[in-house]
Amino acid sequence: MFGLGNPELGVLMLALFVLFIMFGFPIAFTLMALGVFFGYFAMGDLIFSLLVQRSYSVMTNDVLISIPLFVFMGYIVERANILDRLFRSLQLAAGPVPASLALATLATCAIFATATGIVGACVTLMGLLAFPAMLRAGYDVKIAAGVVCAGGCLGILIPPSVMLILYGATAGVSVVKLYAGAFFPGIMLAGLYMLYTIIMALLNPKLAPRLPLEERNVPLSTVFWALVTSFLPLAGLIGAALGSIIFGLATPSEAAAMGSLGALLLAVGYGADYTKRRNVLLVQVYGVLMIAFLAYVIVCGMTALDVDHRIVGLALFATLAVGILLIPGTSFRLFQLKESVFLAARTTAMVCWLFIGSFTFSAVFAYLGGHEPIEKFVLAMNLSPTGFMILAQIIIFVLGWPLEWTEIIVIFMPIFLPLLKTFNIDPLFFGLLVALNIQTSFLSPPVAMAPFYLKGVAPAWVNINDIFRGVMPYMIIVIVSMIMLYTFPQIGLWLPNQLYR
Amino acid sequence: MDVFAFIGGPKEIPLYAFLAPIPIVIWVFGTEFKDAVRRTPNASTGERLLYLVDSLSTAVGKTYGWAILILTFTTSYEVFSRYMFGAPTDWAFDASYMLYGALFMLGGAYALSRNSHVRGDFIYRAWSPRRQAMMDLVLYVLFFFPGMLAFVYAGFGFAELSRRMNEHSSASPNGPIVWPFKWMIVFVGVMMVIQGVVEVMRCIMCIRSGEWPQRLHDVEELEKVMLEDAEKKKQAEMKAAEESGLRRGDV
């Protein structure tokens, strides 16, 4: 009855999906059912083998393997209770700068959210920790709310982030290149946030009063020690995971597995019982060894010598051994590990079932030729590549109001992707712009996760409108950074081009 | 190698790896259900039935969820072995996708029992529970069951063919059998259908009473826990303020 080339049917399928998404039924099953129904009309019994083949390709997808591992790493870091110390140490370090608390908040958010990748947790934790601290110090509510919300969302942009893996799996772009490409835009966005905050504080010191002198004048050694014991290990973990991916030492899934193991060791190390002389000594010896190892790697890098793999292996082995020796008496208990495992299982199931639905749906959609009318429609608008790019970004921005990033990436990206070829746009570059754009989906009403989470944990007198008003400038900064990336694509493309010619 | 001779060679390991955790599943199932009974002493038989199925899905999801830890260790070992001994393993790749596949597939019903599958809920959230339940009920019947039954039906043919051919993995020279991994699709589909029936019962109960029935107690996302805590604290503060206001009024 229906055969190949029923583009109208494809468009109907998409329209029905958009309609049904509003009814709030789990999206994975909506996608799967629509795929099966329309597929059955179009190709009869063949749909069953298509369904199972697409599901099986999700089950054996070597890109998606890194999702559970990164998610697991994130939950361990989240449950390891390290945020307090991280924030305090960065606050000490930022002491003399204007708006120091806000900057420390942004930096803490950036690094914690990057390690965990969980926006909600970062915003609520910082909403309980940094937000009251800023209010107590006399900060303006709007600027305090803005930095907590904007900073908490950085984790899905700065690699290693799960979002880029999802985009890579959907668009068929190498995750390694995406990570290399997103590195500088991520840093740039965090830097712009900080710059804006400092400028605002300088223009109007009432917005962010300086801390009292006694809190600013901390001896440098204290600051240094605080950074070494809290900031450095986490930054090292992220740096090692990201570095080994970008420099091709390990695949993303291998780096994620090492990252999870590292996060476990880190959690044990943070919670270890340092009243015992033995443990302190152990960590000190380990620290010296690591400095020597780092020096060796840097020297090798500068003289273009090959790093001896056995020495890398020894460093890994030493890390593992120290971690195991620190286990007795650590405050990271079995139940925290259990919670991380169960939460990781649930989150992974959610994301990967969404992929099963979306793979099936998009296969049927492509079979029906649903792209054609959309493509014709877009081509009829006679857009230049720039015009198309702007239109696509505006659509994604608008989709971000009601939807969350998972849905946008997994469901709506496949619709844009064939058009990229028509307009000769690099999917890698497009992905970087989307990654920046998605930041706004957390901040824009009505489904603004970050402001609502903050409202939920903030003191009762903090008004949601104040939070939204505080977030607004940071949303504009996101758009500014998108324009900058579009005008100077080298911000994103330089590193991948340099590394993988 | 005698051990391998007994189980039919190292290539048969996946089958045993999938079956070995079953005693643990049963044990976790028992503890989960006992816990549910202890927490809700006044539950009706219908609710008990819900908890029974919930406990089963939870036990499967949680037990096989530990695959993430094994995946962490095996993949790390692979990297370590490659760099330290210059000898990449020939089993790590097959192990990694099977562990990952088992982890998320067998977690599907668990996530369903926790209502963790992502919804586009910007309108849904504003509805009354009764209206939510009615919409869910219709869509479970219209979407969920046809989709899942197609999944089971398709999966059966796929997996049975693989078993008859005694299919081995072509991803590595080691080539372990893959049919247990494919059979998992059928098993998971059936579990999803059973859990779906329970979710439908929840919808009906909610339409009757106007309130969503309770779910099993479980670990929650940090933000959810903290938001609930903050909410409770605010309510307690308001109550305290009201009471002190009243007392002052009395004076």
Side-chain angles (χ1 to χ4, degrees), chain B residues 90-245:
Chain B
D90 56 359
W91 47 264
F93 181 72
D94 283 313
S96 69
Y97 72 76
M98 284 191 191
L99 284 165
Y100 146 79
L103 168 71
F104 90 81
M105 288 292 279
L106 293 165
Y110 173 40
L112 189 62
S113 82
R114 299 296 315 158
N115 199 8
S116 294
H117 283 289
V118 60
R119 298 166 178 264
D121 60 353
F122 49 103
I123 299 175
Y124 182 85
R125 211 179 312 176
W127 289 347
S128 68
R130 188 167 274 149
R131 188 139 180 223
Q132 289 179 346
M134 285 201 277
M135 187 50 88
D136 270 3
L137 180 64
V138 171
L139 291 181
Y140 264 110
V141 174
L142 196 64
F143 281 174
F144 182 84
F145 290 115
M148 273 308 146
L149 290 172
F151 194 68
V152 174
Y153 170 72
F156 178 75
F158 185 65
E160 185 56 17
L161 184 68
S162 167
R163 194 187 64 81
R164 290 223 184 119
M165 292 193 307
N166 194 18
E167 188 187 5
H168 288 241
S169 165
S170 53
S172 70
N174 211 350
I177 48 171
V178 290
W179 64 261
F181 187 53
K182 289 188 173 176
W183 256 98
M184 199 177 66
I185 298 178
V186 184
F187 178 69
V188 166
V190 172
M191 262 179 56
M192 292 293 269
V193 170
I194 297 172
Q195 186 64 44
V197 171
V198 166
E199 294 304 309
V200 163
M201 281 168 67
R202 281 212 162 87
C203 291
I204 295 172
M205 282 161 98
C206 177
I207 292 172
R208 277 204 193 137
S209 69
E211 245 175 80
W212 281 109
Q214 258 192 332
R215 289 180 186 276
L216 286 187
H217 177 84
D218 197 0
V219 48
E220 282 299 347
E221 299 279 352
L222 205 58
E223 60 261 24
K224 207 170 161 190
V225 176
M226 287 192 323
L227 287 173
E228 273 165 14
D229 283 356
E231 187 62 31
K232 267 184 215 151
K233 214 168 123 193
K234 269 178 206 167
Q235 274 175 0
E237 268 169 22
M238 289 237 291
K239 214 174 165 192
E242 262 172 33
E243 272 171 14
S244 73

Side-chain angles (χ1 to χ4, degrees), chain A residues 1-26:
Chain A
M1 161 165 64
F2 297 101
L4 248 179
N6 266 296
E8 296 81 10
L9 216 56
V11 174
L12 176 67
M13 175 172 162
L14 187 65
L16 277 181
F17 171 67
V18 173
L19 179 72
F20 278 116
I21 217 178
M22 309 227 223
F23 292 153
F25 196 65

Side-chain angles (χ1 to χ4, degrees), chain A residues 24 27 58 75 249 254 458, chain B residues 82-83 100 118-120 221 234:
Chain A
I27 294 171
V58 177
Y75 279 120
L249 296 174
E254 285 169 355
Chain B
R82 196 171 64 209
Y83 280 109
Y100 146 79
V118 60
R119 298 166 178 264
E221 299 279 352
K234 269 178 206 167

Side-chain angles (χ1 to χ4, degrees), chain A residues 191-231:
Chain A
L192 285 177
Y193 282 167
M194 290 186 183
L195 196 68
Y196 167 80
T197 314
I198 293 181
I199 291 173
M200 287 307 282
L202 286 176
L203 288 179
N204 185 359
K206 270 190 210 149
L207 285 181
R210 290 187 161 225
L211 289 175
L213 208 58
E214 60 269 29
E215 276 184 50
R216 265 190 281 155
N217 274 356
V218 190
L220 216 56
S221 59
T222 319
V223 175
F224 179 74
W225 194 241
L227 282 179
V228 165
T229 53
S230 65
F231 171 76

Side-chain angles (χ1 to χ4, degrees), chain A residues 284-300 311 315:
Chain A
Q284 280 168 345
V285 171
Y286 174 71
V288 171
L289 278 176
M290 276 298 115
I291 291 167
F293 172 68
L294 261 184
Y296 166 73
V297 171
I298 290 168
V299 166
C300 283
I311 293 182

Side-chain angles (χ1 to χ4, degrees), chain A residues 444-467:
Chain A
S444 53
V447 186
M449 268 174 27
F452 282 116
Y453 283 153
L454 181 61
K455 169 75 184 121
V457 293
W461 57 269
V462 175
N463 193 328
I464 186 78
N465 286 330
D466 280 340
I467 300 180

